[in-house]
Amino acid sequence: MQSLIVYYSKTGRTRKIAEEIAEQLHGDIEEIVSDKIESYEIKKSIKHPSLYDVVIIGTPIWYFTMTRPIRTYITFYKGSIKHVAFFCTSGGIGVERAFKDMQE
């Protein structure tokens, strides 16, 4: 099964988890890059999610939900993803809401 681990990380915590998942699954990894933290604009992905059996998406929790760059990625590629799983990093609350938002 081919897997793609996609993540956004500002401090490196989410990156570390994404790298560990990619190593364990022998999957490809791609960082979502945004020039502005609060922007919905992201740089175009190099790895297209339709080429993978599963896409694992990771985000830190900001303001009780996923980051804007991850929301943009999901919105743009939702029709191309065959199977999806999510993970998040959080120092507090908002995880449940983030998972709900990501599923929707």
Side-chain angles (χ1 to χ4, degrees):
M1 178 181 294
Q2 290 186 312
S3 58
L4 173 62
I5 296 79
V6 177
Y7 70 94
Y8 178 81
S9 184
K10 179 183 173 198
T11 65
R13 290 184 187 114
T14 307
R15 175 183 299 113
K16 182 178 178 183
I17 300 300
E19 289 170 348
E20 290 176 16
I21 292 170
E23 182 179 330
Q24 291 295 314
L25 297 178
H26 305 287
D28 290 340
I29 190 166
E30 182 162 25
E31 180 176 15
I32 301 304
V33 178
S34 178
D35 291 333
K36 298 177 184 175
I37 294 173
E38 293 299 318
S39 175
Y40 285 106
E41 295 179 21
I42 60 174
K43 292 187 178 178
K44 186 176 180 182
S45 297
I46 297 170
K47 297 171 174 68
H48 199 281
S50 66
L51 302 175
Y52 295 87
D53 299 310
V54 64
V55 178
I56 302 168
I57 302 173
T59 183
I61 301 300
W62 290 358
Y63 308 109
F64 308 104
T65 193
M66 72 183 108
T67 59
R68 288 181 176 176
I70 287 297
R71 183 178 301 279
T72 299
Y73 181 89
I74 291 171
T75 300
F76 188 77
Y77 288 112
K78 65 183 172 186
S80 302
I81 298 173
K82 297 171 190 168
H83 296 94
V84 67
F86 304 111
F87 72 94
C88 63
T89 54
S90 173
I93 58 176
V95 174
E96 295 83 11
R97 178 178 169 190
F99 283 140
K100 182 181 178 219
D101 289 347
M102 292 167 85
Q103 287 174 341
E104 291 175 356

